[in-house]
Structures are given as C-alpha cells and as structure tokens.
Amino acid sequence: MPFYRFDHAPDPMEKARFSPEEVPRAITAIGADLVAGMGLKEMGVHFHRKAQLIFTLRGIVRCEADDGVWIVPPRCAVWIPGGMPHSAALSGAVEIYCLFVDPDAAPALPAGCCTVAVSPLLEQLLRHAAHMPVMYDEDGPDGRIATVLLDQLARAPVEQLNFPMPQDPRLRRIAAALMADPADRATIEAWGKRMAAAPRTLTRALTRETGLSFGRWRQQLHILIALQRLDQGAAVQSVAQELGYESAGAFVTMFRKALGKPPARYLAERRRQDGGGVD
C-alpha cells in the first residue's frame, strides 16, 4: 500500500483506490504526508463500521467525538470505536497514519473514544502496516505483524488528554469561546454574566457533565493547546503568554502539576529516538 504525499489537501480516503471498510482483513493502514501551506482541512461528521486509530508524527490533528475534543499530542493517538460519529480537522504540514481495525479482530480494545500513548515499537508497527499490501497474507509475515500490532495497541496506556464538551448550550458557547481565545482568564462569575446565567448553575452543569471544576476544565484545554504549540517548536514563554499566564514559571508549575513533569522533560521523553524499525 503506498504512503500518500498530497500536493493539496484532499481527504486521504479520497486518494485511496479502495475502501478500508470493505477490506476483509483484521487491519488496514494508510499513511499520508500533507504538505505545508495546505491551510486547514476539515472532514465533517462521519463514522466507520471499523474502529479507527489516528496517529500523527507532524502537524496538528483535532478530532471531535464522544462529547469531547481530542487534540493529538506528540507520541499519542486517538482511538475511535467503530460506529462512533466524529469529525476531524488537520492543519499545517501533517504526517498522519490511520489504522482501521475490524471489530471482530480486537474485542479487548476500548469501547469509548480515548487517547493512547504510542510506544516506539507501536509507531514502527504502524509505519510498517501503512506499506503492507491491502490484501496481505494473513498467514505470512505481514499477518504476524498485524497480530503483534493489535497486541501492542491493546497494551497501550490510555491517557486523559481530551477537552470534554458538555451538552449544555451555554457551556458549549463557553467552550467555543475558550478554544478561540484560550488567553481569556474570565472567572465563572464573569462567564455567568456573559451567559445571563447564575455561576452556580453553570458550575453544577459543568461538574455533572464533565466531572471537572471550571478551573480544571479550562486547564485541560490549556494543556492540549500547550502540547500542540510546544511540539511545533514554540518557546515556553510564548505559549505561556498565548494562554494568559502571568509568567513562564506559572505555566510550567501548572503543567508539572497536571502531567507530573515540566514541559521540556515531558516532550523530550515523547521524542526519544526510536530503536530499530520494522519497515
């Protein structure tokens, strides 16, 4: 199967000469390299019979599924179960791998949308799968690769790297405003005035729907945006300013408390050089 390099910004599925849904194999993988300067490419709400894993090595991919926004950080992938409606937006120069998994082939994989950590081994398996023949020999080496890939995927740690999207229309408007201007530091009381709603009402609805306080909810969005921007090479000071923190130190403290490590260490561990490949 070829690794696609696009000069414009078509949906990778439009370039493939087959439908992953119709391939009678446990897995089907597609790799795509979308060139810089393509702008934003959006794929509207759709679903697949097969489950899907979206993994990026470069660029920005944001998915909306299962009442949440999922921004794919470095060395992570978004898992979307079969039959779940979702949309995706890609921006910049993106190197992406999409893995489609037949439901019968992986009953142990998560039933809900989630972010999973991608180990160097799993990354290499995904790279290899993107170059395998569509109708690979299930009893040959590629068939064994597929089995190992599914085993590794089932063992991949699940990480809570999403921004929960409430159903309450007022909270959804707040979420959209925060994504558009993440530096907005307005309190829940200020948002209550903007929404003509009692702050306590908004707080109760947010906690009921997401399990998070307003501060923790906004912080989750900041973490996702920070991971995205830092992976693009932005300086910590610049990211802190974009997110409305008074200083880089305040931002680093928040990041360390949330993820257990300062940004530089967290990203360095994600970017460690791979060992030998299987390509």
Side-chain angles (χ1 to χ4, degrees):
M1 181 183 304
F3 182 89
Y4 298 105
R5 298 187 181 279
F6 301 146
D7 295 325
H8 302 292
D11 183 336
M13 298 302 98
E14 294 173 1
K15 276 289 187 178
R17 295 183 179 180
F18 66 95
S19 169
E21 296 278 70
E22 299 172 0
V23 177
R25 291 292 183 270
I27 67 168
T28 307
I30 298 172
D33 193 356
L34 287 77
V35 301
M38 58 168 275
L40 181 68
K41 170 63 180 178
E42 295 187 6
M43 288 167 274
V45 177
H46 62 287
F47 66 91
H48 315 281
R49 180 185 67 84
K50 294 184 177 182
Q52 183 180 15
L53 183 78
I54 301 175
F55 172 59
T56 58
L57 286 175
R58 289 184 295 113
I60 303 165
V61 176
R62 190 182 81 185
C63 298
E64 292 194 28
D66 202 15
D67 294 331
V69 175
W70 309 80
I71 298 175
V72 185
R75 302 299 168 196
C76 277
V78 173
W79 171 255
I80 305 171
M84 177 174 289
H86 61 280
S87 63
L90 294 75
S91 183
V94 178
E95 183 178 352
I96 185 172
Y97 292 85
C98 294
L99 178 74
F100 295 87
V101 181
D102 192 277
D104 295 333
L109 289 170
C113 194
C114 62
T115 306
V116 297
V118 176
S119 68
L121 174 57
L122 181 54
E123 177 187 328
Q124 291 298 321
L125 290 167
L126 288 167
R127 285 172 175 265
H128 180 88
H131 292 83
M132 282 166 31
V134 176
M135 298 295 290
Y136 60 83
D137 182 357
E138 295 177 289
D139 297 319
D142 286 337
R144 291 190 288 274
I145 287 288
T147 298
V148 175
L149 192 160
L150 290 174
D151 287 342
Q152 289 296 309
L153 183 56
R155 296 174 57 188
V158 173
E159 300 190 0
Q160 297 303 316
L161 292 174
N162 72 303
F163 180 53
M165 187 64 69
Q167 292 298 313
D168 185 290
R170 295 163 300 185
L171 293 173
R172 291 185 76 89
R173 290 200 298 274
I174 294 174
L178 289 175
M179 286 189 285
D181 181 15
D184 189 335
R185 308 294 291 182
T187 63
I188 190 64
E189 287 75 21
W191 278 111
K193 291 180 181 179
R194 296 179 190 179
M195 296 290 123
R200 186 173 299 179
T201 299
L202 293 176
T203 299
R204 282 200 300 261
L206 183 63
T207 302
R208 182 176 63 252
E209 293 198 41
T210 70
L212 301 174
S213 66
F214 178 73
R216 183 66 185 85
W217 184 55
R218 180 168 57 190
Q219 177 182 290
Q220 188 73 357
L221 176 63
H222 285 178
I223 290 169
L224 294 175
I225 294 173
L227 287 171
Q228 177 189 98
R229 295 288 291 117
L230 291 168
D231 187 49
Q232 292 177 303
V236 169
Q237 179 69 45
S238 174
V239 173
Q241 291 177 348
E242 287 181 34
L243 298 179
Y245 288 84
E246 294 181 357
S247 67
F251 164 72
V252 170
T253 297
M254 178 280 294
F255 193 100
R256 183 189 294 113
K257 286 182 178 179
L259 296 182
K261 303 166 189 173
R265 181 180 168 192
Y266 182 90
L267 289 171
E269 291 183 3
R270 294 250 179 219
R271 294 168 175 163
R272 273 184 296 191
Q273 290 291 327
D274 297 339
V278 294
D279 242 355

